[in-house]
Amino acid sequence: MTGFPTDLLAGERYAVCGLGRNGAAVVSALLNMGAEVQAWDDNAPSLPPHERLTLAPLTDLSGMTSLVLSPGIPHILPKPHPVAELARAQNVQIVSDAELLYRNVRKAGSKARFAAITGTNGKSTTTALLAHLLQSAGVPCVAGGNLGTASLALPLLADTGVYVIEMSSYMLERLDQFHAATACLLNITPDHLDRHGDMDGYAAAKAHVFDNMTSEDLAAIGEDDPWCLTIAEKIAARGIPVTMLAPDAVPSFDGPALPGRHNRQNVAAAWAMAKHLGLSDAAIHDGLASFPGLEHRLQKVAERDGVAFINDSKATNAEAASKALGSYDRVMWIAGGTAKAGGIEMLVPWFDRIAHAFLIGRDAAVLAATLQANGVPYTMCDTLDRAVPAAFDAAVTGGVRTVLLSPACASFDQFRSFEDRGSHFLQICDNIVKSGHSGEMLKAEQEG
């Protein structure tokens, strides 16, 4: 594991549009590889000065090797960014940094393999799990992409190494030469339709994860939705080996950080990919047992008086929250924030698992209406500071063993991000555990 050669891209020029977490990392990596970079962001860009960096609006792309457009900036729908239109007019290819990582790894002479993971839900856990299995088995491995480190900021691996890349649909539609030795598509449910036009467009973007694969590679595909089944047929017709992910067929394993059927699908995917990459079943079993889980994804953060506090702040939509509710028999449920289209209507089949709901955030009333219509008791709490102690007190009184934060809503009404929301939940839980007070006493102290 080393840095890329500092002259790898000498003489090449790149344009980078969008300088958030991903874009800033791309600029730094390109400069470190010897390229010249012109970068811009519509919101007052600020980067450390460099002799080969020009910070200026991208009004002329002639002579550029390619344009790296940050994932959140549209190049087709709902309306292409002006820089994307300029790139097409001047025949400059638009790529994602995952594409550049692949090209540069090969240009540096490394035969390191790539494992790519996508899906509407579960891809972060599967990415982290596969990386953990490989690392636990002694395989040189780094993970990044849509999760954690930006793709192009990852180090150069030797021939025996594996890059585990989480890929969003935004990244996938900007691939070209990228070739995964193994790739998985966990599931497809409606998401980002403004960006892709409709479900067919969204599914087509996801299918790019299998581009350039051959009969020596492995595709792992979920079997729970029609879009995945259709894609699996097309991939198999190309002569690519396909493993269909059957959660109920996964052998028994010890994985305390992987509750619920949805995690069995994540395990099925990571298991199939790890086997293809050379791991034994014994090594996989050992890795599953030691997997710590991901922050903000069904993460047990505390326990007191027999009540476990579960942080699933990453559940920013109802589909994700359904996986959490399906993982526990009975919960005190904390939910709310900025509701997505459809609210929580799709969660009705899991309402019998909710002993009581504690609602927070801007659209608490929207959630309350659905709960009331289905006979689920709830309390309007407004904030996490009120909801968590109330849920804990109700759990102790009612003999319920789980307080679950799985909001089914975005966080931006009250927090900077779902991570910020989850971290605040953890702090409150920590206070409850350390205080020795009942939930009612804590609530009274906070309101007093």
Side-chain angles (χ1 to χ4, degrees), residues 3-28:
F4 284 86
T6 56
D7 60 350
L8 186 69
L9 301 179
E12 297 189 27
R13 297 178 62 225
Y14 289 85
V16 178
C17 183
L19 297 175
R21 179 188 70 88
N22 184 273
V26 168
V27 170
S28 178

Side-chain angles (χ1 to χ4, degrees), residues 230-313:
T230 298
I231 290 171
E233 291 178 1
K234 292 179 179 178
I235 298 305
R238 287 169 44 196
I240 299 169
V242 175
T243 292
M244 300 304 296
L245 303 177
D248 298 330
V250 174
S252 61
F253 64 92
D254 177 18
L258 295 161
R261 184 179 185 276
H262 68 294
N263 268 324
R264 293 188 71 83
Q265 183 187 50
N266 299 335
V267 169
W271 197 314
M273 299 174 83
K275 285 277 284 187
H276 181 73
L277 293 168
L279 268 63
S280 66
D281 285 335
I284 292 170
H285 273 286
D286 289 345
L288 291 171
S290 61
F291 180 60
L294 285 181
E295 286 188 321
H296 314 298
R297 295 162 179 83
L298 288 182
Q299 175 193 20
K300 182 178 176 180
V301 295
E303 182 172 347
R304 183 183 153 195
D305 297 343
V307 176
F309 296 86
I310 306 298
N311 170 20
D312 193 45
S313 183

Side-chain angles (χ1 to χ4, degrees), residues 403-446:
V403 170
L404 171 67
L405 170 67
S406 189
C409 294
S411 60
F412 300 119
D413 58 328
Q414 294 180 325
F415 300 94
R416 293 189 302 272
S417 63
F418 74 81
E419 293 96 339
D420 185 34
R421 177 171 61 191
S423 296
H424 190 58
F425 175 73
L426 190 153
Q427 291 172 3
I428 300 168
C429 295
D430 191 51
N431 288 339
I432 290 174
V433 170
K434 291 178 178 177
S435 70
H437 294 174
S438 70
E440 285 297 325
M441 291 173 67
L442 275 166
K443 190 166 57 173
E445 287 178 2
Q446 289 164 349

Side-chain angles (χ1 to χ4, degrees), residues 2 45 86 142 173 228-229 250 278 305 312 325 341 359 436:
T2 62
L86 178 64
V142 290
E173 59 186 359
C228 281
L229 294 176
V250 174
D305 297 343
D312 193 45
L325 290 172
L359 303 180

